[in-house]
Amino acid sequence: MLRIDERAVPPGAEPHDWASPDGATPDWESPDSASPDSASPDWASPDSVSPDWASPDSVSPDWASPDWASPDWESLDAWRAASAAGGSRAAFAELQANLDAAEGAQLQSNRQFAAQLDAFRRAFALADAHPELYLTAETLAAGAGSGQPPAHGPRLDVAELAARSVAAELSMRLLLPAATIRSRGFEAARCHDLLPRLWGRFRDGLASYAELRIALDAISGLPLPADFRGASAEQRAAARAAAEQLATFDDELTELAGTVPLARFRRRTRLLRARLDRPDETAARHARAHAQRRLTVESADDGMAWVTLYVSAIDAARIRARIGATAVECSGQPGETRTLDQLRADVATAHLTGAGTPSAVRTEILVTIPALTLVGRSGSGARTTAGTGFDHPAGAGAAGTHPDPPYLPAELEGHGPIDDDTARRLFAEAPTFLRLATDPFTAAPLALDRTRYRVTAAQRRWLAHQYEGCTRPGCTSPATTTDLDHLTAWAHGGTTDVDNLAPACRADHTLKHRARFSVTRSADGTITWRSPTGHLARTEPIPARSYPDHAPF
């Protein structure tokens, strides 16, 4: 039965009895409400007179007139229009409730996000004030804060290591990249200190995280009160001017946040910043932004990915013009069937990969390819094993045949599955890809690519096959950029074999030795990280790849 949220009922109106919160069935709907000997109610008698509300000449009932609602109800006119079109009061109230719920959920989402960022800010502040909560005594003694030069090795930045420790633990708990957590913690601290009114609006749910980021980007490069710490009158005057400028910026953005679409908020913020800039500040801001140029790669579905360049607007225009002109030229070639979008993507890929040029940089990428994929089979019909070198699995049928193995797609490190045709082409032709063939039934490696003979290189490929990247939960660094960490240190008797090695990015490798993180490996290959606060997080070997008793080397 339909229930109405009483909060959605217009002011002055009462929900119908049949829509009561307890959901009780009304008397007129209950089979026990009338005696079997009782006569039908008057309104059900064919001889009874129709009620007034059923007469075409009668006046509309109270609930259809505006008298039951407060004249200040903002939806009164909308209800009148819906009622005139034959709309149901219950449906109108339910619609209002859902629309209000959507708006309330947005406010609550903003509040929760602000609460999380504030928790990041306070956690980083605590670690900065009390680095001993995370760092070892040896690290603290070697740090810059000790006042004495370390006996061995360079000084360590204690504050930086403490901040990295907090970010690593939050990454383990939330499975977010540590860089994302540090960035958000920095944003929270900066907005809390420099734009307190906007920060308060964000915590109240009335401003969004996207608006907060736009505002922080806009104040980048503005003179701050902390920049003027001298005791001279000029320094004090400059500090006051900077504080007033920030306060003006904060006031105007606070009034704007949550009241206009995000694109308009961004434009208005840029205009406000332009009014605050000194004549020579625009060039300086561009120089700072240009220092942040970068390339990012984001995996997509169906074996695809996005490549994004953050470069100057001038360089972007030149790239677009060159790629576009080349694509147009290619489109005029006889037999060319690709669209301009496809041609632009292909031309850009050829330029970036150096296809056909002697200066192309050689890189290594791990591709895992099931053995049957290499011979063009992916699981259709019984297979003969005679002469293939594959043993019969337990429970196989008659000698020489066995049922289909499960389909296992080829995988590209750091991305995921790729189609079989691409995998076969890479295995046969691409010298810059490390190749690893796997058994079609157990998924265990049959053989490592033996074009290299150094044991450490083979171990790296083996561990990359098992874990894909850094084993600290939450870290997304690919295997090709990680160190191989000795779980039991070499100095303490640890051996250099796959049972005592785990991939760890350089930052997390450093934390394991400088902070009070511990890492262990279980018999099934599961890596467990324990944080200084006692939190445990685990990384398991890739489920589709069974871990054999011994590495094949």
Side-chain angles (χ1 to χ4, degrees):
M1 179 178 290
L2 175 69
R3 299 177 183 231
I4 299 179
D5 186 344
E6 292 190 31
R7 294 171 298 178
V9 177
E14 295 294 334
H16 295 299
D17 292 338
W18 50 265
S20 62
D22 58 10
T25 304
D27 291 343
W28 54 264
E29 210 174 68
S30 170
D32 302 324
S33 59
S35 167
D37 300 326
S38 64
S40 299
D42 291 342
W43 55 264
S45 170
D47 300 326
S48 63
V49 178
S50 298
D52 290 341
W53 56 262
S55 171
D57 301 324
S58 65
V59 179
S60 296
D62 289 343
W63 60 264
S65 75
D67 296 338
W68 50 264
S70 167
D72 297 330
W73 182 38
E74 60 183 9
S75 297
L76 182 58
D77 291 340
W79 160 243
R80 285 171 172 163
S83 178
S88 161
R89 176 183 172 190
F92 187 85
E94 185 178 8
L95 174 62
Q96 287 277 51
N98 282 289
L99 297 176
D100 290 344
E103 188 177 13
Q106 180 63 49
L107 295 174
Q108 184 63 19
S109 175
N110 289 341
R111 294 189 193 103
Q112 291 176 343
F113 203 176
Q116 185 184 66
L117 264 61
D118 199 37
F120 288 177
R121 177 185 67 83
R122 288 182 278 111
F124 280 111
L126 280 169
D128 184 67
H130 302 282
E132 71 278 2
L133 297 175
Y134 276 103
L135 305 184
T136 64
E138 294 80 3
T139 300
L140 292 171
S146 63
Q148 298 294 330
H152 302 284
R155 289 189 185 275
L156 299 176
D157 189 336
V158 169
E160 171 63 17
L161 286 171
R164 283 161 55 181
S165 298
V166 172
E169 175 156 11
L170 286 170
S171 175
M172 291 165 56
R173 291 171 178 261
L174 304 176
L175 297 183
L176 289 173
T180 298
I181 291 170
R182 291 199 68 174
S183 175
R184 291 179 179 176
F186 173 78
E187 290 167 345
R190 192 167 176 83
C191 192
H192 174 272
D193 295 340
L194 302 179
L195 302 173
R197 287 197 62 200
L198 181 63
W199 176 253
R201 192 169 178 83
F202 180 41
R203 293 193 63 182
D204 290 340
L206 301 176
S208 68
Y209 174 60
E211 289 171 323
L212 181 140
R213 292 194 64 184
I214 291 171
L216 290 175
D217 288 342
I219 66 172
S220 176
L222 280 178
L224 305 178
D227 296 337
F228 308 98
R229 299 182 179 180
S232 67
E234 290 183 357
Q235 289 285 308
R236 292 196 300 272
R240 284 195 300 271
E244 291 171 1
Q245 191 177 54
L246 275 176
T248 299
F249 199 81
D250 190 18
D251 290 343
E252 295 201 27
L253 290 189
T254 300
E255 296 300 322
L256 192 62
T259 64
V260 296
L262 191 63
R264 188 173 299 173
F265 181 85
R266 182 180 289 108
R267 288 195 298 270
R268 296 276 293 274
T269 301
R270 288 173 179 166
L271 289 173
L272 177 59
R273 173 58 196 268
R275 293 203 308 266
L276 297 177
D277 271 343
R278 298 189 303 269
D280 60 341
E281 184 60 26
T282 302
R285 288 183 59 202
H286 172 71
R288 286 190 294 270
H290 191 253
Q292 303 299 317
R293 58 193 181 278
R294 57 190 175 273
L295 180 147
T296 58
V297 179
E298 179 183 357
S299 295
D301 295 333
D302 304 319
M304 303 297 287
W306 292 100
V307 178
T308 303
L309 279 173
Y310 180 66
V311 296
S312 72
I314 297 298
D315 286 340
R318 293 170 59 197
I319 292 170
R320 180 173 58 184
R322 181 179 183 185
I323 297 298
T326 307
V328 170
E329 182 179 353
C330 292
S331 68
Q333 300 297 322
E336 181 58 69
T337 60
R338 289 173 292 178
T339 67
L340 277 177
D341 278 342
Q342 292 169 339
L343 283 167
R344 282 189 286 263
D346 292 344
V347 168
T349 300
H351 280 307
L352 291 172
T353 58
T357 65
S359 60
V361 177
R362 296 173 62 88
T363 58
E364 293 182 345
I365 301 175
L366 183 65
V367 181
T368 304
I369 308 176
L372 290 184
T373 298
L374 297 178
V375 296
R377 301 177 180 178
S378 56
S380 56
R383 302 285 182 237
T384 178
T385 58
T388 63
F390 296 134
D391 295 331
H392 297 294
T401 64
H402 57 74
D404 272 349
Y407 174 67
L408 297 173
E411 295 184 44
L412 178 65
E413 180 202 25
H415 171 81
I418 57 175
D419 66 278
D420 293 347
D421 290 341
T422 300
R424 284 189 287 270
R425 176 173 58 81
L426 289 176
F427 197 89
E429 302 173 0
T432 59
F433 287 79
L434 300 177
R435 299 162 290 178
L436 181 63
T438 59
D439 185 283
F441 296 96
T442 67
L446 296 175
L448 288 167
D449 190 334
R450 291 298 184 176
T451 60
R452 294 173 180 251
Y453 296 96
R454 294 181 60 187
V455 174
T456 54
Q459 288 172 330
R460 176 176 291 281
R461 291 194 289 269
W462 174 257
L463 292 168
H465 171 70
Q466 288 296 314
Y467 297 105
E468 287 193 310
C470 178
T471 52
R472 202 254 308 145
C475 185
T476 57
S477 298
T480 52
T481 64
T482 59
D483 298 335
L484 289 184
D485 174 41
H486 286 74
L487 300 181
T488 299
W490 175 269
H492 297 159
T495 57
T496 305
D497 57 51
V498 293
D499 292 337
N500 190 47
L501 295 173
C505 69
R506 183 61 55 85
D508 291 330
H509 192 180
T510 301
L511 284 183
K512 174 178 175 288
H513 294 285
R514 293 297 183 182
R516 291 184 291 103
F517 288 86
S518 61
V519 185
T520 57
R521 180 189 182 277
S522 61
D524 65 356
T526 298
I527 304 295
T528 301
W529 278 67
R530 183 185 184 93
S531 78
T533 64
H535 180 76
L536 298 177
R538 297 174 177 84
T539 295
E540 298 179 354
I542 300 172
R545 305 169 181 174
S546 60
Y547 198 88
D549 292 336
H550 302 287
F553 47 81

